[in-house]
Amino acid sequence: MGILDKIRDIEAEMARTQKNKATEGHLGLLKAKLARYRNELIAASETKGPKGEGFEVVKSGHARVAMIGFPSVGKSTLLTKLTSTASEQASYEFTTLTCIPGNIEYRDAKIQLLDLPGIIEGASGGKGRGKQVIAVARTADLVLFMLDATKGEIQRTLLEKELHTCGIRTNCEAPDIAFKRKAAGGISFNSTVKLTKMDLRLCTLILKEYKISNAEVLFRGDYGADELIDVILGNRVYLRALYCYNKCDLVSIEECDRLARLPDCVVTSSGLDLNFDTLLERIWEYVAFILNSRADSERLLVTHCCYESGRVGAPPCNLLML
């Protein structure tokens, strides 16, 4: 039985297993096995796949924004109209076959916008050029989901699933779980808060699935099996995401208003140049928040290093304030 067959069997078993207190341990173990098999599948494809077919784009500007979406949702049109870069546009699918970068200058910020080829369902498993697209998305500061407003929220759900399978977590913080392997001593399990989704037994089962018999685990939040698995694997990326529902001129006013009120969402029309100003403002707000948060973290790190070395004065620090 191959890895793909094992993944399908586990997903089927998880779908038919009822979620309750009695099945928490079983489901947690299934999630650990599923994550391990998916990790093995991605690693195998990276080593066996043809070389030289990735998208190599030099990072420039203050931040990088990667457009992710299915074919023919308006990514190339948006890139052409927001930047000085001309991306090929046509009425057929898969017009864009490689990564095309453009630059946005807005409020003294230089933002690199990447027009990536459209991905299809199953991209995380190797279909199309999905893995190359997702690999570029992991290097971005912000993911811009380009969605077709006429399809409702179906595309959003499918794209989030593909990115989640490849280890990209959007609009969430990394779990505050301290994990450290040990040479001996068994499993040390502690928490600073009351846990409702995790206990020592479940933690031990998940760790044994990864052949870990000695480790220290400290929960600083009420997390479950999914978050613990992410910490154990250590290859997850946490990115901010903005959802752009394009072709809003093709839906009713009521549907357009509903989509616009969803969290982290903007409605636009690339064909009629509608609402581009709001989209640019939202991109700028997200990028400014990301960069300032990063600068604050670097300042705290420099301050800590100065105190550790005995230099208690204020360290020199250049914050990027947009």
Side-chain angles (χ1 to χ4, degrees):
M1 181 182 290
I3 294 180
L4 287 175
D5 295 326
K6 293 179 180 178
I7 290 175
R8 280 192 289 267
D9 290 345
I10 293 175
E11 289 176 338
E13 186 174 351
M14 290 177 63
R16 63 173 177 263
T17 302
Q18 293 184 351
K19 295 181 180 180
N20 53 55
K21 195 70 176 176
T23 61
E24 276 185 356
H26 180 60
L27 285 173
L29 188 58
L30 290 176
K31 289 178 180 179
K33 290 182 178 180
L34 182 61
R36 181 166 60 84
Y37 286 138
R38 283 175 173 171
N39 215 40
E40 291 177 1
L41 184 64
I42 293 173
S45 65
E46 289 176 350
T47 55
K48 295 180 181 180
K51 303 297 181 181
E53 293 190 359
F55 302 140
E56 294 185 4
V57 180
V58 178
K59 198 168 185 178
S60 64
H62 295 121
R64 167 179 284 187
V65 178
M67 285 193 289
I68 299 289
F70 289 103
S72 299
V73 293
K75 298 187 296 295
S76 299
T77 305
L78 184 66
L79 178 78
T80 301
K81 294 191 175 183
L82 292 184
T83 71
S84 57
T85 303
S87 183
E88 185 179 354
Q89 307 162 40
S91 58
Y92 52 86
E93 294 186 346
F94 299 105
T95 308
T96 303
L97 299 177
T98 187
C99 179
I100 302 176
N103 291 300
I104 300 174
E105 294 190 7
Y106 186 76
R107 290 198 180 188
D108 297 327
K110 294 181 180 180
I111 303 169
Q112 184 183 52
L113 182 64
L114 301 182
D115 178 16
L116 296 168
I119 63 176
I120 58 177
E121 189 175 357
S124 58
K127 292 185 178 180
R129 305 202 70 180
K131 286 192 175 179
Q132 291 94 327
V133 171
I134 294 174
V136 174
R138 291 176 69 94
T139 68
D141 299 294
L142 173 68
V143 175
L144 179 62
F145 286 99
M146 288 297 295
L147 309 168
D148 189 338
T150 63
K151 304 292 179 63
E153 298 176 60
I154 298 175
Q155 290 187 341
R156 172 175 177 169
T157 303
L158 293 174
L159 289 174
E160 286 178 335
K161 180 182 178 181
E162 296 296 334
L163 266 62
H164 190 276
T165 300
C166 287
I168 298 178
R169 307 291 182 257
T170 56
N171 291 339
C172 66
E173 298 291 335
D176 194 0
I177 302 175
F179 169 72
K180 182 180 179 181
R181 296 173 186 260
K182 298 188 302 183
I187 304 298
S188 175
F189 178 81
N190 293 286
S191 66
T192 60
V193 298
K194 182 180 180 180
L195 300 180
T196 61
K197 297 174 284 187
M198 180 61 61
D199 54 27
L200 175 59
R201 175 179 169 276
L202 179 55
C203 179
T204 303
L205 285 174
I206 293 174
L207 290 173
K208 285 187 176 180
E209 180 62 30
Y210 292 96
K211 297 180 173 57
I212 301 173
S213 301
N214 304 287
E216 293 180 359
V217 183
L218 174 62
F219 279 69
R220 298 190 182 95
D222 188 14
Y223 302 111
D226 293 317
E227 291 80 7
L228 177 59
I229 293 168
D230 287 347
V231 172
I232 293 172
L233 290 174
N235 59 357
R236 303 320 194 200
V237 178
Y238 298 85
L239 302 174
R240 291 295 300 273
L242 182 63
Y243 302 87
C244 178
Y245 285 92
N246 196 30
K247 305 180 183 179
C248 67
D249 55 305
L250 301 180
V251 298
S252 65
I253 295 178
E254 292 77 14
E255 177 65 5
C256 183
D257 181 68
R258 186 187 73 83
L259 294 174
R261 293 178 182 276
L262 294 174
D264 305 305
C265 290
V266 178
V267 294
T268 62
S269 172
S270 297
L272 300 180
D273 297 352
L274 296 177
N275 216 28
F276 283 172
D277 53 345
T278 302
L279 176 60
L280 285 172
E281 183 67 21
R282 294 294 296 277
I283 291 175
W284 181 86
E285 289 175 358
Y286 278 55
V287 167
F289 175 81
I290 293 167
L291 294 180
N292 284 329
S293 297
R294 185 183 304 161
D296 287 342
S297 298
E298 292 176 355
R299 181 176 59 181
L300 289 174
L301 178 61
V302 172
T303 303
H304 174 74
C305 293
C306 289
Y307 273 95
E308 287 292 321
S309 62
R311 292 175 294 159
V312 295
C317 184
N318 295 320
L319 287 181
L320 175 59
M321 302 299 292
L322 298 180

